Amino acid sequence: MRSPALVRRLVLLCLPMAIPAGGALAQASDHPTRPIEALVQVSDGQPRCQPQELRLPADANVDLRIRNGGSRAVVVRVPDLFADDRVRSATGAAADGAGGYRVEAGANAQMIVKTPPQGQYRYECADTGGAGSAMSGVLTVVR
């Protein structure tokens, strides 16, 4: 039988490995999914989003990467996904205040977002060059 002092010492030695630096225990659902990539650009005066249909897991933190392959800025709008309480972090993109994020020409954006419940949601890619043109697609959130 091990002495209580030895057990206490073993527990104290193992504790730093079990608790992350922040002190809180992370749950598996807190970690983002593998990166999901989308390409946006203005081509021949029309905004383009690829893929036109995105499938994401429901109620998950998603690592969304948006690359603007064009020479003009594009705004990607998904109000149900880009609500303030769902965006965990956004780098390389600026919120437009209307449920969208602006990605500058040639830029790469990375966003960690909490997906909405299962369902289909419309998204839009809009040209910021003043033409007012937009392309829409479908975001399908699945269990």
Side-chain angles (χ1 to χ4, degrees):
M1 182 169 203
R2 294 188 174 132
S3 73
L6 178 61
V7 170
R8 219 178 2 254
R9 183 178 294 154
L10 287 173
V11 167
L12 290 176
L13 286 173
C14 294
L15 207 55
M17 292 181 280
I19 299 177
L25 295 175
Q27 297 178 7
S29 63
D30 289 342
H31 299 290
T33 62
R34 65 175 175 74
I36 296 170
E37 297 185 4
L39 172 68
V40 298
Q41 63 187 7
V42 176
S43 177
D44 298 325
Q46 296 296 314
R48 307 260 185 251
C49 297
Q50 295 172 345
Q52 193 167 355
E53 181 179 357
L54 275 173
R55 294 177 65 83
L56 302 175
D59 299 314
N61 286 321
V62 172
D63 180 353
L64 182 61
R65 312 266 174 111
I66 302 171
R67 182 170 61 93
N68 185 342
S71 59
R72 293 203 316 229
V74 174
V75 172
V76 179
R77 285 193 184 94
V78 195
D80 294 305
L81 183 64
F82 292 161
D84 289 340
D85 62 332
R86 295 196 169 279
V87 177
R88 305 298 191 240
S89 67
T91 56
D96 75 346
Y101 276 81
R102 177 185 175 109
V103 182
E104 296 298 329
N108 294 308
Q110 179 183 12
M111 303 176 70
I112 306 297
V113 293
K114 175 79 171 183
T115 56
Q118 182 176 351
Q120 287 194 323
Y121 303 89
R122 183 182 166 118
Y123 77 85
E124 176 183 282
C125 294
D127 179 7
T128 60
S133 59
M135 177 205 160
S136 62
V138 176
L139 171 69
T140 302
V141 180
V142 296
R143 283 252 167 246

